[in-house]
Amino acid sequence: MRRTRSVCAFALMLLFALSLGLSAHAEDQASVINERLPVSSAEARFAFTGPSNNLYTFRFFGSGSATGALYQNGGSVPIAQGDGFNFSARLITDVEYLLIVRDGAGGAVEIMRDALGRSFDRPIQLNNLADGYDKVIARAYDTHWYAFTAPTSGTYVISTSSEIDTIGYLLDAQGLEIANSDDAFPPYEQNFRMEANLTAGTTVLLRVSAKGDMTGAYHLSILEPDEGAPALTTLSLSQQALQMRAGDVTQLTASVQPDGAQADVGWVTTDQAVAKVTQEGEVIAVAPGRCEIIAYSGRSVTASCQVTVQSIPLQEVHFELDQLELPKKQTAQLKYAVMPQDASNQRMAFASSDEKVAAVDPDGVVTAVGEGQAVITLTSADGGHQSSLTVTVTRAATAYRALLMGEQRYVDGRLRTGSVNTTQGMADLLSNAGVPGGYEVTMKLDSTRKELVQAIQTAFRDAQPTDVSLFYINCHGGYDSGRAWLELHDGSRITARQLELMLRKIPGTVTVMIDCCQSGAFLSASTNYEFNRGVLQAFTGGAASTFTLSKYRVMTSSSSTQDSYRISFSGADSESAMATVFVRSLCEAGGWDLIKDHKTAMRADLDKDRVVTFEEAYRYTRRRVKLYLESANVQQDVQVYPAGLMMTMFTR
């Protein structure tokens, strides 16, 4: 026999989550990842937040014997530490950490992501400096380490070229800093460039990282000294001024004086919004304006070209359509064309002749507000050219919405864990119902009276007379003293009349499904009880009702004298294994397997027309509930109003 439980008799365990408080740190740092952190005192503290779930290396560079300890969330016991120091720790995203360094005055600390073995201990060996090196910082906070041995004595120029902001440090074999660079030609250049005098045979290490969490490709260049080359004195460019249009590309070349002088020429632009330049001297015009393209070698030898990007006047603008039809509450992106296509100023303004019919935003997205016609006008900022189209707003297409309420725990300690499975099963069923546009499903657990009212107002605030709105609740319920009631999380009771008043203002069709003990009292009463006729008439459209007969479609899990049961679908005798037999059967009717969480055949579709109506769903659910409970020797009769309703519930 299957194990069953009355929905009225059981409640759910209290679920809660604990959040750990974070203690304040002695010093705040915006970012300490991939930065050299100077240690200037006997004890230094660095507070930071874990940037990603990855392994990071903590290393001290200096002549002293420093110690380091890493703490998490203000803890008193280090999660990692080391003398010397060189240790690793796995950091967690958004978790706060504190690094304490002692006896490291005169040195520096670095926190670096372990980039697939490219570390200080295992750098990439550069054997042919003339070729340069192309690499990608593929993950945020990666650090690349390189090593090379100087083949000759002299000044080496080390630089990068890329569209990401790179930072470089040059270190000796012991990790002491020789040179560093953030920007090659401040304030315009984001690539680094540094010079270092090296003795032949000296091995150095180079660290390359990106600013912040930037990712992308870069080219590393190392220019060796040419002992016989004369010193560079002058740079000159192939052109001193350029007149360009947006999109034009022009090649600049740089000449050095005296002839044969060694030069590692770099290129920068003073305004990337006007024109860009590659490290080969290729200038790309972006937008109207003026800027300088600067060629440089070192920081003292430069040459520049004045670039003017000319404005291209707009001559014509027109909508792609002159008529547009939209159902009420729908939106559409208006499309238009300009002539010429590369006109410099393509800013547009949109206006509606009647915003109560059709409203339009600055980006040209039109929203159908009310039935009727409105004219949308497009005006160009350059020249005031105009185009217009007529928007016709029609009656809105049917929209489907559902509010699903499950009361799983009560303030007095009663537990109904199975309510979670039940309510989620209903959500999954409706999300896969197949109706045009699909159901917009809102699911709420453990609500007070106030929260129930707010949930109804929010879920159905956009409902239209053509829409279908569904309200489902799974909770304790009962019928006594002539009143049907539902019990919420806070112990408050909602009578049938009170519920109807909450639903009354929803326009269009309202489907009500009540899944609780004695829920049939919302529709009819046993002859053994005195029934509140006003309640009955409110939900069934009787003489005392203020509604039309067609407003409500109601299905209840049981009669006014019966309990409503849950059933274990796993065989386990636990609340978490339970779901109501009503919802399990309804899911089968509409083609959803509540146990395995996937679509199945719509078992209520007996005529094979790929549509399950309200009546078909009711008939199948009523039969299936009886079969599920037959072996338990209990009875539960699903109720419905009105009978014979052919309203579509589920489709394929």
Side-chain angles (χ1 to χ4, degrees), residues 479 481-483 525-532:
Y479 173 69
S481 303
R483 299 180 16 163
S526 167
T527 56
N528 297 326
Y529 293 86
E530 179 182 355
F531 186 65
N532 183 335

Side-chain angles (χ1 to χ4, degrees), residues 59 107 127 137 152 293 415 419 426 448 469 483 537 580 618:
R59 179 180 291 275
N127 297 316
I137 296 179
T152 59
I293 302 299
L415 309 176
S419 182
M426 275 294 293
T448 63
S469 304
R483 299 180 16 163
Q537 291 169 342
T580 68
Y618 157 69

Side-chain angles (χ1 to χ4, degrees), residues 211-322:
K211 185 68 69 70
D213 60 355
M214 297 179 72
T215 58
Y218 66 89
H219 177 77
L220 174 65
S221 174
I222 302 175
L223 179 66
E224 299 178 48
D226 185 350
E227 296 181 358
L232 176 69
T233 59
T234 308
L235 278 175
S236 59
L237 300 182
S238 54
Q239 297 188 67
Q240 285 71 53
L242 289 174
Q243 299 285 330
M244 306 177 72
R245 287 186 168 188
D248 288 350
V249 178
T250 300
Q251 179 67 55
L252 290 178
T253 58
S255 301
V256 300
Q257 287 84 35
D259 292 341
Q262 185 179 19
D264 182 29
V265 178
W267 299 84
V268 296
T269 175
T270 59
D271 193 341
Q272 296 239 19
V274 175
K276 296 181 179 180
V277 64
T278 70
Q279 289 309 300
E280 290 73 38
E282 191 176 68
V283 181
I284 303 102
V286 177
R290 295 186 179 186
C291 69
E292 279 188 281
I293 302 299
I294 302 172
Y296 63 89
S297 182
R299 297 195 179 183
S300 60
V301 182
T302 65
S304 64
C305 174
Q306 301 292 322
V307 176
T308 302
V309 180
Q310 299 172 337
S311 176
I312 303 173
L314 188 145
Q315 299 176 3
E316 182 183 343
V317 60
H318 59 86
F319 282 117
E320 291 186 359
L321 301 172
D322 56 13

